[in-house]
Amino acid sequence: MKHPQSTGQTGPLQVDVKQLKDHPGAQEILSRDVPAPVGFSTVLVGIPEGSNLAVDLRIESVHEGVLMTGTASAEVVGECGRCLDPISYPLTVDVMQLFSWADKAQGTDTGEDEENRAVGEDLMVDVEPVLRDLMVSALPFQPVCRDDCPGLCSECGFRMEEDPEHEHEQVDPRWAALQGLKNQLNDGDDEA
Ligand SMILES: [Zn+2]
Ligand SMILES: [Zn+2]
């Protein structure tokens, strides 16, 4: 028997697990491409809202709840933290998350706890926050276009890649040292 699809009520990342309740071993497959929800990003990089998020998950009924395992993949887009060039690369995260049955969950506010999520009262499981936590924490804190990106000149913003010799006129450090010595000698004179 098929459930009528209750469109509008549930998002593409919500799974009805009614049929898994009290049927340990039963499973559902959530394998689909969905538009990435908002908020899968940090300051410099992220998965653009609406871009393709491929989820491939198995949701299995176990005694304590439902165990979700599988992967989620998307294209990360952003800019290099050193030279500000656009970057993009594919990201896949492994998913393993237990949702406890509401009547077996400990405490009341388990929904906020990453380690201890619960199946909703309506026997729905919301996959989105799980994927958001996993994918956002897999984003680099300081993304670079490549490991040895030379970045920009700290003085003028020149793209160092175009001329590694690029530099600004500076007081020669040896002259600076001599200048320091001279000052010391002068100080000595003053005290004599
Ligand atoms: Zn770069
Ligand atoms: Zn410069």
Side-chain angles (χ1 to χ4, degrees), residues 7-117:
T7 47
Q9 286 291 331
T10 64
L13 288 174
Q14 292 186 302
V15 186
D16 184 340
V17 296
K18 277 186 203 71
Q19 291 175 328
L20 300 184
K21 179 93 170 138
D22 302 323
H23 290 91
Q27 63 180 43
E28 301 228 1
I29 300 295
L30 179 70
S31 181
R32 56 173 75 146
D33 291 345
V34 302
V38 69
F40 278 47
S41 58
T42 61
V43 178
L44 289 172
V45 285
I47 296 152
E49 184 186 359
S51 68
N52 193 60
L53 173 64
V55 297
D56 194 2
L57 299 170
R58 188 177 63 157
I59 298 161
E60 189 181 358
S61 181
V62 294
H63 179 67
E64 308 91 326
V66 292
L67 181 64
M68 184 171 75
T69 54
T71 59
S73 307
E75 188 79 3
V76 173
V77 175
E79 58 189 33
C80 173
R82 293 185 199 154
C83 72
L84 307 181
D85 268 1
I87 54 177
S88 68
Y89 62 92
L91 171 69
T92 295
V93 294
D94 289 320
V95 181
M96 185 182 299
Q97 178 70 50
L98 176 72
F99 295 84
S100 307
W101 297 121
D103 52 10
K104 293 203 170 62
Q106 319 230 316
T108 48
D109 58 345
T110 51
E112 294 301 311
D113 186 346
E114 292 181 31
E115 302 298 314
N116 192 11
R117 296 183 191 274

Side-chain angles (χ1 to χ4, degrees), residues 63-189:
H63 179 67
E64 308 91 326
V66 292
L67 181 64
M68 184 171 75
T69 54
T71 59
S73 307
E75 188 79 3
V76 173
V77 175
E79 58 189 33
C80 173
R82 293 185 199 154
C83 72
L84 307 181
D85 268 1
I87 54 177
S88 68
Y89 62 92
L91 171 69
T92 295
V93 294
D94 289 320
V95 181
M96 185 182 299
Q97 178 70 50
L98 176 72
F99 295 84
S100 307
W101 297 121
D103 52 10
K104 293 203 170 62
Q106 319 230 316
T108 48
D109 58 345
T110 51
E112 294 301 311
D113 186 346
E114 292 181 31
E115 302 298 314
N116 192 11
R117 296 183 191 274
V119 176
E121 297 278 320
D122 51 0
L123 294 178
M124 297 292 290
V125 158
D126 190 0
V127 182
E128 182 181 324
V130 177
L131 299 187
R132 179 184 287 114
D133 287 352
L134 285 171
M135 298 194 99
V136 169
S137 60
L139 295 173
F141 186 60
Q142 292 183 309
V144 286
C145 58
R146 55 174 214 264
D147 283 345
D148 60 349
C149 170
L152 305 176
C153 170
S154 59
E155 304 239 343
C156 70
F158 178 81
R159 187 173 288 273
M160 295 302 284
E161 193 173 45
E162 289 169 19
D163 178 13
E165 305 288 298
H166 172 84
E167 62 180 348
H168 292 260
E169 290 281 330
Q170 277 174 346
V171 177
D172 187 309
R174 284 166 300 180
W175 286 115
L178 280 178
Q179 188 67 42
L181 193 60
K182 191 173 158 224
N183 289 344
Q184 273 181 18
L185 288 172
N186 286 345
D187 285 352
D189 285 350

